[in-house]
């Protein structure tokens, strides 16, 4: 098997600030962890222009019928699946629009299958099963930046002209060289050497938050800072829907419930009907003409 030079990776280096972490008190331990965690937002701040560029490109592809597909192994793969799984209930999109693929498949979500990450061919196979096409976006997640499975996914996506984005935590990594947009927050050595589910995992999660949230905002899924395409599929979300309508319009909760019942709990349509004073059918047509943006639709009444 090919030797891997892990010592050259920042994420695999020893942290001089935590050499005594196994001998100090619990309070001192968590203070050190917390201090290291504070470095993550600083590292991400340096990457904000690239993150913004990625969001704009993702938005363009989604408008063109593309899908956002996260690809990773281990913790990185699980983070992609987590972000993807939260988009349908939060923003009312289909389960197909944002997807997560993990090396080793479904079982690897719950139990480590680390060997699966070493195969580029497996990544190509998984993307072919998804019928990857040129309008899609592939986001490769790899804290180390060298995971063969992720590199293989990005290379194949490039071959068919899909948009490729990488998120890694080591400079000049393999994934950054392969991807069209490289997002690389350098968070430094971990509290426990090589445990990239810590700072590197947090960094990846924060970047994913921005990518999906930013894309959904640009798709009109948010009015002001309210999630107006939320799907009220349980008691909590039903209550949230009522609160969103009252917050957005200033009407009473009882009046909000009446409108929500009329629209079958379509939060966005309910808000726009109230603010525009249009009938349900008129409001629906006006929203469609303005790609679901409440603000734009109000400007064009």
């Amino acid at each position: 098997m090919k030797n891997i030079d892990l010592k050259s990776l920042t994420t695999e280096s020893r942290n001089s600030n935590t050499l005594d972490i196994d001998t100090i008190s619990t309070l001192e331990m968590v203070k050190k962890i917390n201090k290291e965690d504070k470095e993550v937002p600083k590292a991400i701040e340096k990457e904000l222009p690239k993150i913004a560029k990625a969001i704009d490109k993702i938005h363009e592809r989604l408008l063109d019928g593309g899908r956002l597909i996260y690809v990773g192994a281990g913790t990185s793969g699980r983070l992609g699946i987590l972000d993807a799984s939260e988009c349908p209930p939060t923003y009312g999109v289909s389960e197909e629009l944002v997807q997560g693929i993990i090396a080793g498949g479904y079982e690897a979500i719950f139990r480590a299958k680390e060997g699966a990450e070493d195969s580029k061919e497996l990544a190509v196979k998984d993307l072919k099963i998804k019928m990857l096409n040129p309008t899609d976006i592939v986001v490769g997640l790899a804290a180390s930046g060298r995971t063969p499975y992720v590199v293989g996914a990005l290379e194949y996506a490039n071959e068919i002209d899909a948009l490729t984005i990488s998120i890694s935590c080591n400079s000049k990594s393999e994934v950054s060289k392969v991807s069209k947009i490289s997002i690389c927050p350098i968070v430094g050595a971990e509290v426990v050497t090589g445990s990239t589910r810590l700072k590197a995992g947090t960094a990846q999660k924060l970047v994913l938050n921005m990518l999906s949230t930013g894309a959904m905002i640009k798709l009109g899924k948010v009015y002001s800072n309210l999630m107006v395409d939320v799907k009220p599929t349980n008691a909590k979300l039903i209550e949230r829907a009522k609160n969103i309508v009252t917050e957005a319009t200033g009407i009473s909760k009882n009046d909000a419930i009446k409108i929500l019942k009329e629209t079958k709990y379509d939060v966005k349509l309910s808000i726009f009907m109230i603010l525009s004073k249009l009938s349900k059918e008129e409001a629906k047509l006006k929203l469609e003409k303005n790609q679901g943006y409440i603000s734009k639709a109000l400007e064009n009444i």
Side-chain angles (χ1 to χ4, degrees):
M1 183 178 287
K2 179 183 175 183
N3 289 327
I4 302 170
D5 181 17
L6 291 181
K7 288 186 177 180
S8 65
L9 304 177
T10 304
T11 51
E12 295 290 332
S13 60
R14 290 188 76 184
N15 192 325
S16 61
N17 297 323
T18 61
L19 295 175
D20 60 349
I21 201 163
D22 62 329
T23 61
I24 57 180
S25 72
T26 305
L27 179 58
E28 289 174 306
M29 180 198 306
V30 295
K31 281 183 176 179
K32 281 181 180 279
I33 294 172
N34 182 240
K35 185 177 180 181
E36 292 297 319
D37 286 343
K38 290 176 182 177
E39 298 302 311
V40 176
K42 296 177 186 177
I44 290 174
E45 186 174 9
K46 296 175 183 177
E47 298 297 296
L48 291 180
K50 293 180 182 177
I51 294 170
K53 179 181 178 181
I55 290 170
D56 286 337
K57 294 295 183 182
I58 291 169
H59 175 229
E60 290 174 9
R61 296 276 179 137
L62 294 181
L63 283 178
D64 201 30
R67 300 167 297 171
L68 176 57
I69 301 174
Y70 300 130
V71 179
T75 297
S76 297
R78 295 180 193 105
L79 288 169
I81 289 170
L82 173 63
D83 194 81
S85 66
E86 291 175 342
C87 287
T90 306
Y91 298 111
V93 298
S94 74
E95 293 180 1
E96 295 293 313
L97 189 70
V98 186
Q99 302 181 36
I101 300 175
I102 186 170
Y106 183 81
E107 185 182 337
I109 300 172
F110 308 98
R111 186 174 300 162
K113 291 184 68 175
E114 305 300 346
E117 72 175 47
D118 294 328
S119 173
K120 287 186 176 184
E121 294 74 23
L122 181 59
V124 174
K125 178 183 176 183
D126 289 345
L127 286 175
K128 284 184 175 179
I129 290 172
K130 292 288 185 182
M131 300 178 69
L132 189 74
N133 67 74
T135 61
D136 292 332
I137 310 105
V138 172
V139 178
L141 295 150
S144 67
R146 55 148 301 279
T147 308
Y149 182 86
V150 178
V151 174
L154 293 169
E155 288 175 342
Y156 174 67
N158 281 336
E159 285 177 20
I160 68 167
D161 207 27
L163 174 64
T164 52
I165 300 167
S166 65
I167 304 173
S168 63
C169 295
N170 283 293
S171 61
K172 299 178 181 178
S173 66
E174 291 180 53
V175 295
S176 67
K177 293 172 185 175
V178 175
S179 62
K180 293 171 183 172
I181 301 175
S182 169
I183 299 168
C184 191
I186 306 299
V187 297
E190 297 287 3
V191 168
V192 175
T193 306
S195 183
T196 51
R197 72 183 188 89
L198 300 175
K199 288 193 293 183
T202 301
Q204 290 177 93
K205 179 66 171 76
L206 291 177
V207 174
L208 289 174
N209 287 349
M210 292 184 188
L211 293 184
S212 58
T213 303
M216 294 302 146
I217 290 171
K218 294 183 77 67
L219 286 173
K221 303 293 182 180
V222 173
Y223 172 60
S224 181
N225 61 356
L226 300 169
M227 52 175 83
V228 292
D229 272 327
V230 63
K231 294 300 178 190
T233 54
N234 59 39
K236 181 190 77 173
L237 293 178
I238 288 171
E239 194 61 28
R240 180 177 290 167
K242 297 173 188 174
N243 291 335
I244 289 171
V245 173
T246 59
E247 287 280 350
T249 64
I251 67 172
S252 70
K253 186 166 285 190
N254 285 336
D255 287 339
I257 291 169
K258 290 176 186 176
I259 299 292
L260 282 165
K261 284 181 178 178
E262 184 180 347
T263 64
K264 296 181 180 178
Y265 272 78
D266 185 324
V267 176
K268 178 184 285 182
L269 180 57
S270 298
I271 290 170
F272 187 60
M273 282 176 62
I274 295 163
L275 295 179
S276 67
K277 297 181 172 57
L278 296 173
S279 69
K280 185 171 74 172
E281 292 306 317
E282 289 173 327
K284 190 180 292 186
L285 286 172
K286 181 65 73 172
L287 278 173
E288 288 174 0
K289 286 181 180 178
N290 289 276
Q291 293 79 48
Y293 279 84
I294 292 178
S295 296
K296 288 183 180 179
L298 287 171
E299 290 174 2
N300 294 317
I301 291 175

